[in-house]
Amino acid sequence: MDFFILAALVLCSLTAPALGDKGSSKARGCSDIHRFYSGKGLKQDAAAPEFEISGEHLQICPQGYTCCTSKMEDNLAMISRTEIEGLLKETRRPLQSSLSYSQNTFNGYMDNLMNRSMTTLHDHFTSTWDLLYSRNSQLFRDLYKDLRDYYQGGNVNLEEALNEFWTKLLEKIFYQANKQNSIGEDYQECVSKKIETLRLFGEAPHKMTIQVTRTFVAARAFLQGLTMTREVVGKVLQVPLSQKCIGAIMRMTYCQHCRGMPSAKPCVNYCSNVMKGCLANQADLHTEWSHLADTMIEVGERRLDDVDSVILSLPNQISEAMFSMIDNLATINSKLFQGCGSLGEGGAPSSGFGDIASRRRVIVDDRLGGSANKMSESVSNINMKLREMRSYWISLPKVLCSDRVASGTGAEDKCWNGMNRARYLPEVIGDGLASQINNPEVEVDITKPDMKIRQQIMPLKIMTHRLKNALNGKDMDFQDTSDDVSGSGSGMCADDTCSRGPRLIAPVTERAMVYPDPPKNKEVRSSASQSLPSISIFLLSLLILLLQR
């Protein structure tokens, strides 16, 4: 008799969860899921049950008693994909907007500084240099055009452009000073060659070339960095999520409705594991992404702190160099006459310039008062945003889980863990593809990284390298070649920057590396037992047979 009592108790313990959360002996109705399902804009399934049914037909949700049919499960999975893609779009929009605003702000200040500098040069040179400037104003406009084109990414050799400007300017001053003499083509060619070898402007051209090159190389690289980061965000977050990921998100978001627990929100750690599995490839951008952000910040702090003074001082530096040449015109003429021959009698230094020397003064741009620090303020604000975005890819799962998980007192014990309303037991896994081998929620093949995302790693490396060269005033163009970590057919680094960060593609060895299969038994997620109707029926039949004996 004790045996029959024991068997009855076992049967009751197995079937208890199937009778509802409150222990009711009646099967729960499905009106809640019907209202919820219709509220999502879905057409009610004709086969939708009025009361809970056995869930062996379900492919994503737990196969306990359920109010969802296979078609309802498929439709909710489709809704899950649409919603998570929309959420990712909303998540990337603030970052892209911030980067676009930073890019436009920085570009606007650079454009404003260039316009102010050119206007200042025109105003002061018109009154100071008179005919020499008015007849050769195109030479100065070409200089500013070359600077602007280079900054905006044009194919301009900055050093050559500056050297050409000084050479042509020296020729113009020499011809103006000796305008009373006839200068033939052969003599002009000789003068041009000598000018290239003689530092007739003193140290001014060398000093200005160093300042301008350092500033414009850094500004160009900084602008390109802002442009690239915005493009990478857009490309990466447009990559579709895997079907396994969508199933995991649907299980986390909607399966509790099928189980009659509409108010249950996902456990915090449960959501983290789902999202880390879904965004594992994106997280592998973190190493190069953070390196790029750090290097941009360094460029902003070390090389863009005096952009205003460098650009706005161009008119004064050019004018001082020209006055220096006039002051030493006799010596300059002597050197040129010695190399190219005399032009004849005359050629006095004052013959071509009149009283220009008396109009010599320091050129200061004072039209906008104390706005000289606007660029440094802008760069500081941009750097602050760069610091905020450096951990963007590894913080994305937390951002996506922030407003959808259970919170408050007792939330850890009453949240949805993917199987029931109970504590979530597994630990939170790490970031990146390599960590997903033990993800209990999303099946991820760590040997097959997403190549569309991997292809964004090489541009990040190249941009970081370009910025590091900009710190030294160097502008280096990179020629794309094959690289085994890029996943695409381009990219070669000139130093060891390509070797940083974890390699996520399994290394090639003599024998293929075999990874253990991800755990298939997900039952450990719940502390509550799950009812299996087929087992209950079997035990009930066994008990009846025993009683008949």
Side-chain angles (χ1 to χ4, degrees), residues 128 323 326-327 353-361:
T128 301
F323 276 118
I326 292 176
D327 292 342
F353 295 103
D355 61 348
I356 285 180
S358 65
R359 299 196 290 267
R360 184 172 187 168
R361 65 184 186 277

Side-chain angles (χ1 to χ4, degrees), residues 11-32:
L11 177 61
C12 291
S13 66
L14 288 171
T15 57
L19 300 178
D21 289 340
K22 298 180 181 180
S24 171
S25 60
K26 296 181 179 179
R28 287 179 297 195
C30 296
S31 57
D32 287 341

Side-chain angles (χ1 to χ4, degrees), residues 120 124 316 362-367:
T120 298
H124 287 273
N316 193 65
V362 176
I363 300 175
V364 179
D365 177 25
D366 56 1
R367 291 175 299 107

Side-chain angles (χ1 to χ4, degrees), residues 20-290:
D21 289 340
K22 298 180 181 180
S24 171
S25 60
K26 296 181 179 179
R28 287 179 297 195
C30 296
S31 57
D32 287 341
I33 183 63
H34 293 172
R35 287 192 296 269
F36 172 79
Y37 190 78
S38 300
K40 286 291 181 180
L42 299 171
K43 185 177 180 181
Q44 191 65 53
D45 186 356
E50 292 297 326
F51 296 93
E52 288 181 325
I53 59 175
S54 178
E56 291 93 339
H57 58 282
L58 298 177
Q59 299 297 314
I60 299 175
C61 293
Q63 294 184 336
Y65 279 93
T66 182
C67 283
C68 288
T69 63
S70 295
K71 183 177 180 181
M72 292 171 69
E73 188 182 47
D74 291 341
N75 287 338
L76 289 174
M78 179 184 65
I79 289 290
S80 295
R81 177 181 290 278
T82 301
E83 289 178 343
I84 192 62
E85 289 176 350
L87 190 58
L88 285 172
K89 184 177 181 179
E90 289 299 318
T91 302
R92 79 168 185 254
R93 183 171 291 139
L95 179 58
Q96 284 187 305
S97 297
S98 177
L99 290 168
S100 293
Y101 177 79
S102 297
Q103 176 186 344
N104 293 334
T105 300
F106 181 78
N107 199 35
Y109 276 124
M110 283 292 294
D111 190 57
N112 181 48
L113 288 173
M114 294 290 288
N115 289 336
R116 286 171 56 185
S117 182
M118 182 63 199
T119 300
T120 298
L121 184 143
H122 176 76
D123 292 344
H124 287 273
F125 275 44
T126 298
S127 59
T128 301
W129 293 97
D130 197 13
L131 292 177
L132 177 64
Y133 173 71
S134 61
R135 291 172 178 173
N136 301 289
S137 59
Q138 187 62 44
L139 175 63
F140 298 92
R141 286 196 293 270
D142 288 344
L143 171 63
Y144 278 88
K145 182 179 184 301
D146 285 339
L147 293 176
R148 196 185 300 271
D149 288 348
Y150 172 81
Y151 161 71
Q152 293 176 345
N155 187 24
V156 177
N157 186 310
L158 196 55
E159 187 174 352
E160 288 183 3
L162 290 168
N163 289 338
E164 183 179 1
F165 166 75
W166 288 114
T167 299
K168 289 183 177 180
L169 180 59
L170 188 59
E171 291 176 0
K172 301 298 183 184
I173 294 177
F174 175 78
Y175 297 147
Q176 179 71 14
N178 297 281
K179 65 180 182 179
Q180 75 279 16
N181 296 308
S182 175
I183 302 177
E185 291 184 4
D186 292 341
Y187 197 90
Q188 290 182 25
E189 183 177 353
C190 177
V191 169
S192 297
K193 291 180 179 180
K194 292 297 180 182
I195 284 175
E196 292 178 0
T197 59
L198 299 175
R199 300 181 68 174
L200 303 180
F201 277 121
E203 294 298 320
H206 179 65
K207 178 183 176 182
M208 182 176 133
T209 297
I210 291 177
Q211 289 182 343
V212 169
T213 300
R214 185 192 70 176
T215 298
F216 276 81
V217 166
R220 168 171 156 147
F222 194 75
L223 181 69
Q224 289 173 340
L226 292 172
T227 303
M228 166 168 287
T229 49
R230 179 174 55 84
E231 292 174 349
V232 167
V233 173
K235 290 178 180 178
V236 170
L237 291 184
Q238 284 180 351
V239 175
L241 299 175
S242 70
Q243 196 63 38
K244 298 285 187 183
C245 163
I246 297 302
I249 291 176
M250 185 272 183
R251 184 187 188 101
M252 178 182 72
T253 308
Y254 292 129
C255 285
Q256 60 268 49
H257 292 271
C258 295
R259 292 295 306 277
M261 307 173 195
S263 62
K265 287 190 174 183
C267 302
V268 175
N269 290 351
Y270 174 34
C271 184
S272 294
N273 281 345
V274 170
M275 291 305 177
K276 286 191 176 190
C278 287
L279 300 172
N281 284 280
Q282 289 84 340
D284 281 334
L285 293 173
H286 171 70
T287 299
E288 294 306 327
W289 177 269
S290 58

Side-chain angles (χ1 to χ4, degrees), residues 445-496:
D445 186 349
I446 68 170
T447 67
K448 295 181 180 178
D450 188 294
M451 301 315 296
K452 290 183 179 179
I453 295 177
R454 293 287 296 175
Q455 286 169 1
Q456 301 307 311
I457 292 179
M458 182 52 62
L460 293 174
K461 289 181 177 181
I462 293 175
M463 192 68 248
T464 300
H465 195 76
R466 179 182 289 274
L467 284 158
K468 286 186 174 181
N469 278 283
L471 286 169
N472 299 318
K474 298 177 182 178
D475 181 24
M476 297 188 66
D477 292 326
F478 291 83
Q479 191 171 29
D480 292 345
T481 57
S482 162
D483 185 87
D484 63 342
V485 300
S486 70
S488 61
S490 65
M492 180 177 68
C493 294
D495 63 7
D496 63 349

Side-chain angles (χ1 to χ4, degrees), residues 268-406:
V268 175
N269 290 351
Y270 174 34
C271 184
S272 294
N273 281 345
V274 170
M275 291 305 177
K276 286 191 176 190
C278 287
L279 300 172
N281 284 280
Q282 289 84 340
D284 281 334
L285 293 173
H286 171 70
T287 299
E288 294 306 327
W289 177 269
S290 58
H291 285 163
L292 176 58
D294 290 340
T295 311
M296 288 183 67
I297 291 170
E298 189 176 4
V299 169
E301 292 176 344
R302 290 179 48 191
R303 288 291 175 258
L304 300 178
D305 57 335
D306 60 348
V307 174
D308 307 75
S309 60
V310 170
I311 295 178
L312 295 179
S313 68
L314 288 177
N316 193 65
Q317 291 192 66
I318 295 172
S319 183
E320 283 300 305
M322 293 168 66
F323 276 118
S324 176
M325 181 177 177
I326 292 176
D327 292 342
N328 299 285
L329 198 53
T331 302
I332 291 171
N333 277 347
S334 176
K335 290 181 179 180
L336 292 176
F337 293 162
Q338 185 178 359
C340 299
S342 176
L343 287 172
E345 299 297 328
S350 60
S351 61
F353 295 103
D355 61 348
I356 285 180
S358 65
R359 299 196 290 267
R360 184 172 187 168
R361 65 184 186 277
V362 176
I363 300 175
V364 179
D365 177 25
D366 56 1
R367 291 175 299 107
L368 296 181
S371 63
N373 293 323
K374 291 295 185 180
M375 176 60 86
S376 61
E377 293 176 6
S378 173
V379 172
S380 295
N381 291 334
I382 293 173
N383 281 350
M384 181 175 65
K385 294 176 181 177
L386 290 173
R387 289 187 180 93
E388 294 172 353
M389 81 170 199
R390 69 181 307 280
S391 60
Y392 177 77
W393 296 111
I394 58 174
S395 63
L396 197 53
K398 183 177 180 180
V399 172
L400 293 173
C401 287
S402 61
D403 61 348
R404 63 168 60 198
V405 295

